[in-house]
Amino acid sequence: MPTPELNRRTFLKGAGVAAVAATGPTIIVKTARAKSDTLKIGQWTHFVPAFDEWFDKKYCPEWGAKNGVKVVVDHISVNDLRARAAAEVGAKKGHDLFGFLDPPPAYEETVIPLNDVVTECESKYGKLVNLAQRATYNPKSKTYYACSDNWVPDPLHWRIDMWGEVGMKPDTWEHVREGSRKIKEKINAPAGFGLAQELDTNMMLRGLLWSFGAQEQDETSTKVMINSKQAVDAVKLMSAIFKESETAEVFTWDPSSNNRFFVSGKGHIIQNAISAIRTAEKQVPDLAKKMALAPPAAGPVRRMGSEHLLHCYVVWKFAENPEMAKKFLVDLVGAYNDAFVASEFYNFPSFTKSVTDLKGKLAADKVDPERYLFLADAERWSAYPGYPGHTTAAIDECFNTFVIPNLFARAAKGEQSAEDSAKQAEAEMKRIFTKWIK
Amino acid sequence: MRRGRERSLLDREGFLGPVMILPAVLYVVALVGFPFFLSLYLAVSDAKIASATSHFVGLANFESALQSPTFRRALVNTFLFTLISQALVLVLGKILATCLLQDFYGKSALRFLILLPWVAPISLGTIGWKWMLDSLYSPVNWVLQATHIIGKNDWPMWFGERGLAMASVIGVHVWRLLPFSTVIILAGLTSIPKEVREAADVDGAGFWSRELHIVLPLLRPILTVAGLFGIIFAFTDMTVIYVLTRGGPADGTQVLASLAFFTGILGGDLAGGAAISLFLFPILLIVAILMLRVARRTEVT
Amino acid sequence: MTVSRAARRAAGRLVLYATVIAFAALLAFPFYWMVLATFKTDGDLYNLKNNPLVFNAAPTLANLQLLFEKTLYLRWLWNTLLVGAAVVAITLVLAAPAGYALARLTGKWGEPLGIGIFLTYLIPPTLLFIPMSRIVAVLDLQDSLWSLILVYPSFTVPFCVWLLMGFFKSIPRDIEEAARVDGCSRARAIVQIVMPLSLAGILSAVIFAFTLTIQEFVYALTFITSSGAQTVSVGVPTNLVRGDVFFWGSLMAACLITSIPVAALYNIFLDRFVAGFTVGAIK
């Protein structure tokens, strides 16, 4: 009954060899012979409607006209991206380019390796940032299964006036703890670090772990390392912050909640992509003047946050127009000067030189020329799930089943001690790792 | 004379029966047959979301699932969620349907209001509830505070504590399905021939006696089917939980259906997700067969 | 009527009203909020100090404008209606005869087959949609409303079969027998006698199938990709929930505009149930 199987390792090895051979000397063909005359792209509905306007109504039609293709863009809600991807793979039919908002290592077997695309982009538009490289590359098969065009930093958002009341700034995690406690005592405004099963929590807590020198896995991406003294210390710190300066609402949140929390004026600090402050600038401009951004807080070992989102495209194996798809990718990276501004700085370039004069653009912001300047260095303090290893399918499943948020939530609620919670998280991660790593 | 007519094709039960039921069966089997069995196979394979090949692994996925405390909690939550919400839906539905059987002033308008939760698109209605029970803006909490039932700093975190979160998702689920069960029961009550009800009245049966001994038994086939469907639907549905709590807080409202989605579709372990989805399959299978048999066997003379 | 009996009637009436009004209030109050949200400005909605149950600033049509001008809402409504009507038709054609067969006609294959199709519910659509996508792709129906029209009956039919069986069963056999004694063939008896009497059941099946169709999400999401061909339940969240930003006013407007006409329609249908289907008319 068991069919002679393609041993996964040999398959991947074969694919890797083929990919290297194919990319070898040839870089992308400049004039592609289109298999069909349509290029279908599927990606998320950007939170900045203006970006989708730019992309759908300006960039794609112009690119299409130049290359003799009709470009069709379909938008999918961020929550439904993975479900749609699964369906397209199940149907073996779908878009040519599919944009994920977090790296999809599990899909490696059904996508075309994009090593040639990455190489060409690097030759033209600068190196691929480390966090994107680690998150879209499989070192075992030496394949780029996705090509990232942009990523989103995750800075602190804080209230200058409220922190001014206690004469502090959120520089290190100890400052955050102490300042938050004082602010809560003095003016009863809570902090907004989520402890729920959702994206923002997933990212923020990873940053906290890394700042303490803890990590999910080792560099080889095979060993689970979550149960360490540093991780336990990080858990204890967050439990303290929760007890001293947060309310139980942080267990109820979804990605939009901390935005609302901050924009309503209730809270004094959150960690989120700049969508929060952009919303504030539009809805409550007077209050927004009292808000500021800052790099993630520093821990005893380092200052590190996670990328909030990593946007990357895959080209399905069953894509009908793969050559055009690859060309589109390269050209899109080249157009990032426009994309960056159209997205109101949400889309940070993954290829370092694809946006020229980043700092100048940040300083030219129409609302506040100083607020976004520090983001020019964002790459230095941003990492990715799975750091310092790679983002593997195992890490991806841990991410999507909220192992880290629950690790912290159980301890903060007092259901388990920090040590026991770490042990449980370790057991869960090991169980998941054995499923994927054979 | 009757025997003669029965020989005509349109009279013969042996012919008419299969001919009437076959189209429905063929349609469903042709469409769902392959996916149905493939899904069953996925649960006993090691398929990942994008794997080119897969092998039979027996019950390994189920064993792996049982090791996870998250899964065990999800199993318990699934039973809680399903049984409590279904019980509420049936009992409340029966009460409401009985009321709606009477005539009274303003009935049409009230009935319209009662139907609304069911017809609202699930995704949108649930998003509405997200706001209704939001930790900051909840109108429910606002009203509770305005009527001095709770204080300013005592706002219940509807999605933040295990008990409250479970109550919330059960509540929204019941809210959504109550009109549905009411309509079904109402239609069933209406189908009870008037003369049966009148006969009971003439016999001097009291309200409760009539309900228990006449009405309920007559409703049994419909109640059984609606109840069974409701149970299976609650066991396999995850929309309310996915939108409101994502299974939180700390897996407090995680059920098998939502865990399966996170593991299989979002996490990429398709076979693991399938195993979680189908964990209760054997039990549900037996329950379904038994209940459907009961529904069919009930005879009305 | 003695005094105590009148009093009991009055008390009964009071209980009746109290119960129904309580239910109606609990079920419909979120919709009251939705109506407000539809017309509230963002500033009014997001202000923590405001009373959420009234307008604190002048109502605005901006949310409705966004819904109708910046999204394809009307197109989605139309798509949803089309799919709903088609699926209801297919469901009735398949389920009514099958339900009758299960109710009346014995035979050793009927019951197992009927149970068999019901078992398709045991696999949740969140798992089933993956192999289903393959079928849709093979039939080349991807991105077409026909994929939904084809697939939806697979989950409306089994329940409707059993539901209708239940209704057919509650019609006493004697009535059919009486018709056949009078000279009807079995088939004619079914059409002329049974169907009209089971109108309540048929209408519930229609309502159920239609509701299930307009609510369905997973298949609509995965089979249909282009905006113009989406249904309301997918199109609205996709376009009005952008990342972590919700356009509450427009979302709630979409919810209301979809629900109110459908609920009104059902309400009218329900009147037909209680318009006195007196079974005792036939002697």
Side-chain angles (χ1 to χ4, degrees):
Chain A
M1 233 264 266
T3 46
E5 58 125 336
L6 274 176
N7 180 294
R8 190 160 187 253
R9 259 184 234 116
T10 53
F11 175 89
L12 288 177
K13 235 198 276 174
V17 168
V20 169
T23 58
T26 50
I27 317 256
I28 302 283
V29 279
K30 291 261 163 75
T31 48
R33 273 171 296 124
K35 229 196 268 181
S36 80
D37 59 0
T38 318
L39 181 69
K40 289 186 292 195
I41 306 178
Q43 61 188 41
W44 71 308
T45 347
H46 203 289
F47 98 92
V48 178
F51 180 86
D52 281 345
E53 292 260 337
W54 171 81
F55 192 81
D56 295 356
K57 303 223 170 73
K58 189 164 184 304
Y59 181 73
C60 286
E62 286 175 5
W63 185 90
K66 235 189 292 172
N67 290 275
V69 202
K70 178 162 176 281
V71 182
V72 173
V73 184
D74 290 325
H75 289 284
I76 306 159
S77 176
V78 62
N79 295 319
D80 304 327
L81 275 174
R82 289 267 176 139
R84 180 70 72 78
E88 294 196 3
V89 165
K92 295 204 188 0
K93 207 171 177 204
H95 296 90
D96 298 299
L97 276 172
F98 196 89
F100 283 91
L101 276 173
D102 53 345
Y107 285 88
E108 188 176 336
E109 288 180 46
T110 54
V111 300
I112 298 178
L114 295 177
N115 297 38
D116 45 357
V117 173
V118 173
T119 313
E120 178 163 357
C121 288
E122 285 196 317
S123 74
K124 286 185 178 154
Y125 308 118
K127 260 205 135 302
L128 182 63
V129 294
N130 187 52
L131 63 92
Q133 198 272 350
R134 287 276 171 147
T136 55
Y137 182 74
N138 183 342
K140 285 212 194 89
S141 64
K142 297 206 189 355
T143 316
Y144 278 97
Y145 49 84
C147 177
S148 170
D149 63 320
N150 73 266
W151 65 285
V152 181
D154 201 28
L156 286 176
H157 291 53
W158 57 289
R159 285 281 296 273
I160 310 174
D161 53 337
M162 289 181 173
W163 283 81
E165 295 259 353
V166 299
M168 293 181 72
K169 281 204 181 118
D171 186 28
T172 68
W173 277 105
E174 278 304 326
H175 286 152
V176 168
R177 176 188 173 175
E178 203 188 313
S180 294
R181 181 175 55 82
K182 289 191 174 144
I183 296 176
K184 182 90 181 358
E185 276 170 11
K186 191 160 182 206
I187 56 176
N188 200 23
F193 295 108
L195 287 169
Q197 299 185 180
E198 50 92 19
L199 173 78
D200 296 349
T201 305
N202 240 334
M203 295 315 192
M204 178 270 299
L205 290 177
R206 278 182 169 74
L208 174 58
L209 283 172
W210 298 326
S211 339
F212 271 70
Q215 55 204 51
E216 296 162 88
Q217 61 181 2
D218 68 328
E219 273 205 20
T220 66
S221 311
T222 49
K223 211 161 151 283
V224 174
M225 296 188 58
I226 193 69
N227 189 7
S228 63
K229 178 172 181 317
Q230 296 95 323
V232 170
D233 287 341
V235 172
K236 287 187 175 149
L237 179 80
M238 187 47 84
S239 297
I241 293 181
F242 171 73
K243 280 194 195 68
E244 294 161 7
S245 41
E246 295 196 320
T247 64
E249 65 187 311
V250 299
F251 295 113
T252 74
W253 282 356
D254 77 343
S256 64
S257 308
N258 61 350
N259 298 40
R260 279 200 295 283
F261 172 84
F262 195 66
V263 171
S264 73
K266 178 173 177 188
H268 63 261
I269 191 168
I270 62 171
Q271 188 163 356
N272 201 65
I274 62 172
S275 46
I277 202 156
R278 285 299 192 194
T279 310
E281 287 170 359
K282 294 194 178 84
Q283 281 176 0
V284 289
D286 292 323
L287 189 59
K289 295 201 179 79
K290 300 190 197 153
M291 298 174 178
L293 297 176
V301 173
R302 54 171 83 92
R303 180 187 300 277
M304 194 72 100
S306 176
E307 41 91 343
H308 192 76
L309 292 172
L310 187 88
H311 190 258
C312 49
Y313 286 101
V314 301
V315 178
W316 298 124
K317 276 211 171 93
F318 45 82
E320 285 166 21
N321 210 343
E323 291 306 313
M324 267 291 136
K326 288 186 186 176
K327 180 164 198 307
F328 183 90
L329 267 181
V330 177
D331 290 341
L332 179 63
V333 173
Y336 243 73
N337 277 314
D338 296 330
F340 180 66
V341 174
S343 71
E344 295 183 8
F345 309 159
Y346 195 78
N347 292 16
F348 260 65
S350 297
F351 290 91
T352 42
K353 294 208 186 61
S354 61
V355 175
T356 51
D357 189 24
L358 187 74
K359 236 190 168 139
K361 291 198 168 63
L362 291 171
D365 183 54
K366 294 190 197 75
V367 177
D368 187 334
E370 305 223 339
R371 173 172 284 159
Y372 299 95
L373 277 180
F374 75 101
L375 288 173
D377 294 330
E379 204 246 318
R380 261 202 263 136
W381 38 257
S382 302
Y384 54 94
Y387 171 83
H390 284 79
T391 310
T392 60
I395 285 286
D396 196 38
E397 186 179 335
C398 294
F399 186 88
N400 282 298
T401 48
F402 309 112
V403 172
I404 304 285
N406 287 338
L407 157 67
F408 281 80
R410 288 191 299 264
K413 272 171 174 268
E415 285 174 19
Q416 278 180 318
S417 69
E419 290 83 359
D420 286 339
S421 195
K423 276 201 199 84
Q424 186 175 326
E426 179 187 46
E428 185 67 17
M429 285 187 70
K430 281 191 169 147
R431 189 185 71 89
I432 293 176
F433 269 57
T434 45
K435 277 201 267 177
W436 290 96
I437 301 176
K438 293 198 166 81
Chain B
M1 228 193 334
R2 212 119 147 240
R3 240 175 269 128
R5 213 173 298 112
E6 274 197 273
R7 279 206 211 105
S8 145
L9 212 54
L10 287 177
D11 270 331
R12 224 187 305 157
E13 278 191 14
F15 174 76
L16 216 50
V19 161
M20 291 177 86
I21 203 172
L22 223 45
V25 173
L26 283 178
Y27 192 99
V28 174
V29 168
L31 208 52
V32 183
F34 166 69
F36 183 84
F37 289 107
L38 182 60
S39 307
L40 290 180
Y41 169 70
L42 280 177
V44 291
S45 75
D46 66 352
K48 302 286 185 273
I49 198 118
S51 37
T53 60
S54 60
H55 323 89
F56 181 75
V57 295
L59 296 175
N61 293 321
F62 296 94
E63 285 166 3
S64 173
L66 277 170
Q67 283 167 11
S68 162
T70 308
F71 174 83
R72 295 195 291 267
R73 155 143 270 133
L75 193 57
V76 170
N77 286 344
T78 306
F79 277 100
L80 277 178
F81 176 74
T82 303
L83 296 175
I84 298 180
S85 58
Q86 270 318 106
L88 283 173
V89 160
L90 282 177
V91 167
L92 294 176
K94 174 73 174 56
I95 296 175
L96 197 50
T98 313
C99 291
L100 287 179
L101 209 50
Q102 318 279 343
D103 268 317
F104 52 90
Y105 183 69
K107 175 159 118 168
S108 196
L110 286 170
R111 208 173 48 196
F112 167 77
L113 292 177
I114 289 171
L115 285 174
L116 280 174
W118 180 36
V119 301
I122 302 181
S123 44
L124 298 179
T126 319
I127 288 178
W129 271 103
K130 211 187 200 349
W131 183 277
M132 298 291 295
L133 298 176
D134 185 66
S135 56
L136 278 181
Y137 290 101
S138 163
V140 170
N141 284 349
W142 191 91
V143 167
L144 288 176
Q145 183 187 316
T147 53
H148 298 291
I149 298 179
I150 55 173
K152 185 162 185 283
N153 294 317
D154 294 327
W155 274 33
M157 289 298 141
W158 294 101
F159 305 136
E161 282 162 59
R162 283 235 168 84
L164 280 182
M166 188 49 103
S168 305
V169 295
I170 290 179
V172 175
H173 194 76
V174 169
W175 173 83
R176 231 182 74 201
L177 289 181
L178 187 55
F180 164 68
S181 80
T182 306
V183 166
I184 301 244
I185 297 176
L186 185 60
L189 286 175
T190 321
S191 305
I192 295 175
K194 243 193 187 174
E195 47 180 17
V196 173
R197 266 185 276 143
E198 278 159 10
D201 272 340
V202 164
D203 283 345
F207 176 76
W208 287 110
S209 169
R210 190 181 67 189
E211 289 296 312
L212 283 175
H213 297 292
I214 314 276
V215 175
L216 274 181
L218 284 176
L219 279 183
R220 204 183 315 147
I222 295 167
L223 278 182
T224 312
V225 174
L228 177 63
F229 180 77
I231 289 179
I232 293 184
F233 183 67
F235 266 118
T236 57
D237 182 57
M238 64 156 215
T239 315
V240 170
I241 289 166
Y242 184 73
V243 174
L244 292 182
T245 60
R246 293 296 174 97
D251 290 327
T253 56
Q254 192 81 273
V255 294
L256 294 182
S258 54
L259 184 61
F261 187 77
F262 288 125
T263 308
I265 307 298
L266 299 186
D269 180 13
L270 198 56
I276 297 175
S277 284
L278 300 179
F279 194 81
L280 292 176
F281 185 84
I283 302 177
L284 289 181
L285 188 65
I286 297 174
V287 168
I289 294 178
L290 287 176
M291 286 183 83
L292 289 176
R293 278 215 165 136
V294 163
R296 184 168 130 88
R297 298 281 156 84
T298 317
E299 264 308 336
V300 175
T301 45
Chain C
M1 238 196 273
T2 63
V3 171
S4 69
R5 220 169 150 205
R8 244 192 299 143
R9 270 201 79 182
R13 236 31 201 172
L14 201 62
V15 169
L16 179 66
Y17 267 105
T19 312
V20 180
I21 290 179
F23 272 109
L26 283 174
L27 289 172
F29 87 87
F31 290 89
Y32 171 68
W33 177 77
M34 287 184 198
V35 170
L36 288 179
T38 302
F39 297 105
K40 270 193 180 181
T41 56
D42 274 345
D44 187 358
L45 188 65
Y46 286 111
N47 191 332
L48 277 177
K49 299 191 188 57
N50 281 352
N51 179 341
L53 301 178
V54 299
F55 285 108
N56 298 287
T60 169
L61 290 176
N63 298 324
L64 282 172
Q65 260 181 319
L66 184 79
L67 182 66
F68 285 106
E69 288 171 20
K70 292 289 170 82
T71 70
L72 295 172
Y73 183 61
L74 285 171
R75 178 91 77 87
W76 300 330
L77 273 180
W78 176 244
N79 292 339
T80 310
L81 200 62
L82 276 180
V83 173
V87 171
V88 164
I90 298 177
T91 305
L92 274 185
V93 162
L94 294 176
Y100 183 83
L102 274 181
R104 291 279 192 253
L105 306 173
T106 52
K108 54 185 168 132
W109 288 113
E111 184 174 299
L113 284 178
I115 293 180
I117 56 174
F118 197 93
L119 297 182
T120 54
Y121 290 127
L122 296 185
I123 306 210
T126 43
L127 173 60
L128 208 55
F129 80 92
I130 297 182
M132 274 302 214
S133 311
R134 182 94 186 96
I135 298 207
V136 167
V138 161
L139 293 172
D140 207 20
L141 287 176
Q142 252 198 347
D143 220 20
S144 156
L145 288 175
W146 285 104
S147 64
L148 300 182
I149 296 177
L150 183 72
V151 172
Y152 282 1
S154 69
F155 58 77
T156 54
V157 161
F159 179 69
C160 287
V161 166
W162 285 90
L163 188 67
L164 288 171
M165 177 213 77
F167 283 106
F168 288 133
K169 266 188 170 300
S170 55
I171 298 172
R173 272 180 190 262
D174 316 1
I175 295 177
E176 278 176 76
E177 298 298 319
R180 289 174 64 202
V181 164
D182 283 348
C184 277
S185 75
R186 183 143 211 155
R188 222 175 117 207
I190 296 174
V191 173
Q192 288 192 331
I193 312 286
V194 176
M195 290 294 169
L197 289 178
S198 52
L199 201 58
I202 292 183
L203 283 178
S204 352
V206 165
I207 290 179
F208 169 79
F210 190 74
T211 306
L212 211 60
T213 303
I214 64 179
Q215 303 255 12
E216 204 284 326
F217 185 78
V218 180
Y219 292 144
L221 172 75
T222 49
F223 297 165
I224 305 217
T225 48
S226 55
S227 269
Q230 280 172 341
T231 55
V232 168
S233 74
V234 173
V236 172
T238 300
N239 285 275
L240 293 177
V241 176
R242 293 174 162 266
D244 49 5
V245 178
F246 283 66
F247 289 82
W248 292 101
S250 310
L251 280 167
M252 295 301 105
C255 189
L256 283 174
I257 298 174
T258 316
S259 337
I260 290 181
V262 180
L265 205 65
Y266 286 1
N267 207 16
I268 299 174
F269 271 7
L270 280 180
D271 270 334
R272 301 272 290 144
F273 285 175
V274 203
F277 283 104
T278 46
V279 175
I282 300 177
K283 240 337 171 176

